């Protein structure tokens, strides 16, 4: 069955960018399918074109629009029952360039797997003979309490009418240790990643540091790119390099004009004409600096927020920077969180939802290795079930595992609080666990991690 948007829609716009089939439109907008144009279904709310809806079969194991809807108005249409096969055929028609594997994600398969687990319990309890009667009782005693019944999805935001009981914090545990983890403390390993590496790479960083005033003559983008690659402003800062280049030009331009005057044989070093050349050089450097940094000088904009324009010999700076890109490393990579079309403190923002899927992270390729920073969920989604369970606003700590596998760093997170687990059982956008795989371009000798304030940091030194 296709998904529909009910009249409870608040026009927040969160669902539209999530649809893999571009089947969601805002009221008053016409849509085209198979060469035919149809009018909008409503002028007030978003709507879903049923001929383009595949319930996300082939893309996700849940309906993406329902997962982000803050008021739970994206629901299956009971008047249009459709099988998984029919939805997959539609997906292939809408995306002829996409190849769907045999194990394509589908909410039908996810639901079937969830139903298969409880169905196995009665079969195991039935043992025949005299033990047939007490077996169900033993199974009921051993099974954990079922989550409270909830109608629909639970991410509907409800006003807090009374204080929520704060959960007791879990007992403190010692530092975790994983296979492949280095014996040194985290700070020592991180220092090796920041400033370590081969002797050649360390020498290159020293060359960059010493040549910073000259490199500051380059254009804005090359300087900022080198800053992103190095990820260490102690070695190179685009803003600092630009300022130092301006100071260098106060010496370089007068010296250049003086050298030209002496070389031409028309001037003596201590003559009055030589003073004029030096004055012209200082004036040229000052005027150029005011033009390069006009936003900061005339409007008071901070240097780091202005275009860091190049000098008159910017081409030379660009040429000098080009080979440094290849030998300094790669730019840091981080996950992308799409635009969130609705803002309200009662609802989860998109960044928080992506944290629950392990998709908010940043990895930096540094001189001596890699540095990963992955953010865990910080808040429990607002819901009526959460209030019934007495859940706090702050998310309890996840359990996690770290491993190195085939050139990848694999981080797995898992909900361990039993009350929060009940919440994940009925929440569309709240998985009980996640796995994040980050590719590493260079071989590493191991890793060392630190977890604090819902943030996991991993330092991975490379081979020296």
């Amino acid at each position: 069955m296709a998904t529909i948007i009910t009249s409870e829609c608040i026009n927040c716009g969160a669902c539209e960018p999530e649809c893999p089939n571009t089947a969601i439109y805002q009221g008053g907008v016409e849509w085209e399918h198979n060469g035919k144009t149809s009018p909008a279904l409503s002028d007030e709310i978003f709507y879903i074109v049923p001929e383009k809806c595949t319930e996300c079969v082939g893309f996700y194991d849940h309906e993406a629009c329902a997962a982000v809807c803050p008021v739970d108005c994206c629901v299956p249409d009971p008047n249009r029952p459709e099988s998984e096969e029919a939805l997959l055929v539609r997906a292939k028609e809408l995306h002829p360039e996409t190849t769907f594997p045999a194990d394509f994600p589908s909410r039908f398969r996810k639901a079937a797997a969830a139903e298969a687990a409880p169905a196995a319990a009665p079969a195991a309890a039935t043992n025949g003979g005299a033990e047939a009667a007490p077996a169900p009782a033993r199974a009921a005693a051993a099974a954990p309490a079922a989550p409270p019944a909830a109608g629909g999805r639970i991410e509907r935001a409800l006003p807090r009418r009374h204080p929520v009981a704060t959960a007791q914090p879990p007992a403190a545990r010692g530092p975790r240790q994983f296979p492949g983890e280095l014996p040194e403390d985290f700070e020592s390993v991180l220092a090796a990643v920041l400033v370590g590496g081969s002797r050649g790479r360390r020498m290159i960083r020293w060359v960059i540091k010493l040549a910073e005033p000259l490199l500051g003559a380059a254009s804005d983008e090359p300087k900022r790119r080198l800053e992103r690659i190095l990820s260490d402003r102690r070695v190179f800062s685009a803003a600092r390099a630009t300022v130092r280049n301006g100071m260098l030009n106060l010496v370089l331009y007068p010296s250049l004009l003086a050298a030209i005057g002496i070389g031409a044989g028309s001037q003596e070093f201590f003559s009055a004409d030589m003073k004029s050349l030096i004055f012209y050089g200082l004036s040229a450097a000052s005027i150029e600096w005011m033009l390069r940094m006009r936003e900061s000088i005339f409007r008071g904009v901070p240097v780091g927020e202005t275009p860091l324009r190049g000098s008159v010999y910017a081409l030379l700076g660009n040429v000098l920077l080009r080979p440094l890109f290849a030998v300094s490393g790669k730019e840091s990579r981080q996950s992308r969180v799409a635009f969130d079309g609705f803002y309200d403190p009662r609802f989860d923002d998109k960044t928080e939802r992506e944290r629950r899927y392990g998709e908010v992270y940043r990895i930096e390729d540094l001189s001596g290795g890699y540095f990963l920073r992955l953010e865990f969920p910080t808040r429990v989604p607002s819901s009526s079930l959460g209030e019934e369970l007495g859940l706090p606003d702050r998310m309890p700590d996840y359990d996690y595992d770290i491993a190195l596998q085939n050139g990848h760093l694999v981080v797995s997170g898992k909900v361990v609080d039993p009350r929060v687990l009940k919440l994940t059982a009925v929440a569309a956008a709240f998985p009980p666990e996640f796995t994040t795989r980050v590719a590493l371009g260079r071989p590493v000798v191991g890793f060392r991690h630190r977890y604090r304030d819902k943030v996991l940091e991993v330092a991975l030194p490379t081979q020296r």
Side-chain angles (χ1 to χ4, degrees):
M1 61 187 71
T3 303
I4 59 174
I5 298 178
T6 67
S7 59
E8 295 179 356
C9 176
I10 59 175
N11 266 331
C12 69
C15 59
E16 182 181 10
E18 301 294 331
C19 181
N21 306 311
T22 62
I24 302 178
Y25 298 82
Q26 191 172 17
V29 180
E30 296 183 344
W31 58 274
E32 183 177 341
H33 181 66
N34 290 338
K36 299 180 180 179
T37 302
S38 300
L41 303 181
S42 170
D43 291 336
E44 299 179 354
I45 63 175
F46 280 78
Y47 64 93
I48 300 176
V49 178
E51 288 80 7
K52 297 179 69 177
C53 178
T54 64
E55 300 185 44
C56 295
V57 168
F59 294 94
Y60 309 111
D61 59 0
H62 59 276
E63 295 164 275
C65 57
V68 301
C69 180
V71 293
D72 294 340
C73 65
C74 299
V75 298
D77 185 358
N79 298 322
R80 296 179 64 94
E82 294 180 293
S83 64
E84 180 186 63
E85 292 76 11
L87 294 171
L88 181 61
V89 170
R90 182 178 300 158
K92 292 180 178 178
E93 293 177 351
L94 294 172
H95 304 275
E97 74 287 351
T98 302
T99 301
F100 296 91
D103 57 344
F104 59 87
S106 166
R107 74 173 185 85
F108 294 89
R109 300 186 179 188
K110 183 179 180 180
E115 294 174 358
T126 305
N127 199 20
E131 295 186 1
R138 291 198 304 270
R153 293 178 172 83
I154 55 82
E155 286 198 319
R156 183 189 303 275
L158 298 177
R160 302 284 193 183
R161 295 187 176 88
H162 54 82
V164 177
T166 302
Q168 294 296 326
R173 61 186 181 189
R176 306 273 321 261
Q177 190 77 19
F178 301 100
E181 191 147 15
L182 300 173
E184 296 89 349
D185 62 276
F186 178 81
E187 294 295 342
S188 299
V189 177
L190 180 59
V193 169
L194 291 175
V195 301
S198 65
R199 180 176 301 176
R201 291 176 68 89
R202 290 198 298 269
M203 185 177 298
I204 290 171
R205 292 169 72 89
W206 274 107
V207 170
I208 293 174
K209 185 180 296 187
L210 294 174
E212 189 176 60
L214 187 58
L215 298 176
S219 304
D220 180 80
E221 177 54 30
K223 286 184 292 193
R224 295 189 185 276
R225 181 183 175 189
L226 182 62
E227 182 181 84
R228 293 193 300 267
I229 290 176
L230 293 172
S231 301
D232 187 355
R233 296 191 177 183
R234 295 173 300 178
V235 177
F236 182 83
S237 167
R240 187 178 64 231
T242 304
V243 172
R244 289 184 175 179
N245 177 253
M247 298 172 63
L248 173 66
N249 289 342
L250 289 173
V251 178
L252 182 62
Y253 288 2
S255 301
L256 182 60
L257 289 179
I260 293 175
I262 295 175
S266 59
Q267 305 291 338
E268 295 182 0
F269 188 77
F270 294 102
S271 65
D273 293 335
M274 181 62 69
K275 295 179 181 179
S276 299
L277 291 177
I278 295 176
F279 173 77
Y280 294 148
L282 290 172
S283 300
S286 301
I287 293 173
E288 181 194 65
W289 176 250
M290 287 189 289
L291 292 175
R292 292 172 65 182
M293 307 299 297
R294 51 185 176 269
E295 291 84 2
S296 294
I297 295 175
F298 300 111
R299 297 209 299 264
V301 180
V303 174
E305 301 176 10
T306 62
L308 303 176
R309 300 177 180 87
S311 181
V312 292
Y313 54 99
L315 181 60
L316 174 61
N318 295 343
V319 171
L320 294 176
L321 282 174
R322 190 172 297 116
L324 296 177
F325 296 149
V327 297
S328 299
K330 298 179 180 178
E331 296 186 35
S332 61
R333 291 167 284 150
Q334 65 184 64
S335 58
R336 301 287 184 183
V337 178
F339 169 73
D340 199 345
F342 182 76
Y343 297 95
D344 193 298
R346 297 174 300 166
F347 305 127
D348 287 338
D349 59 26
K350 183 162 291 186
T351 301
E352 186 62 28
R353 290 195 297 269
E354 297 301 321
R355 287 191 183 110
R356 298 199 287 265
Y357 288 91
E359 296 180 0
V360 180
Y361 66 87
R362 177 185 178 91
I363 183 166
E364 300 179 36
D365 187 346
L366 302 170
S367 175
Y370 297 92
F371 177 63
L372 172 76
R373 188 179 187 276
L374 186 144
E375 300 180 18
F376 279 80
T378 60
R379 293 190 294 109
V380 176
S382 300
S383 65
S384 57
L385 179 58
E387 290 192 342
E388 293 175 11
L389 297 173
L391 291 176
D393 291 332
R394 184 171 174 80
M395 178 73 74
D397 283 338
Y398 275 43
D399 189 16
Y400 61 90
D401 288 294
I402 309 173
L404 292 172
Q405 298 178 358
N406 301 323
H408 289 74
L409 177 67
V410 182
V411 179
S412 302
K414 181 171 62 176
V415 176
V416 292
D417 190 297
R419 295 172 303 166
V420 180
L421 276 173
K422 292 179 182 180
L423 196 62
T424 66
V426 291
F430 193 177
E433 57 186 27
F434 67 81
T435 299
T436 301
R437 298 176 61 87
V438 182
L440 306 175
R442 294 179 284 157
V444 297
V445 297
F447 65 89
R448 188 69 181 175
H449 86 281
R450 176 175 64 188
Y451 178 80
R452 59 181 184 180
D453 298 330
K454 308 294 185 184
V455 174
L456 177 68
E457 297 174 318
V458 186
L460 303 101
T462 52
Q463 294 179 352
R464 298 190 177 101

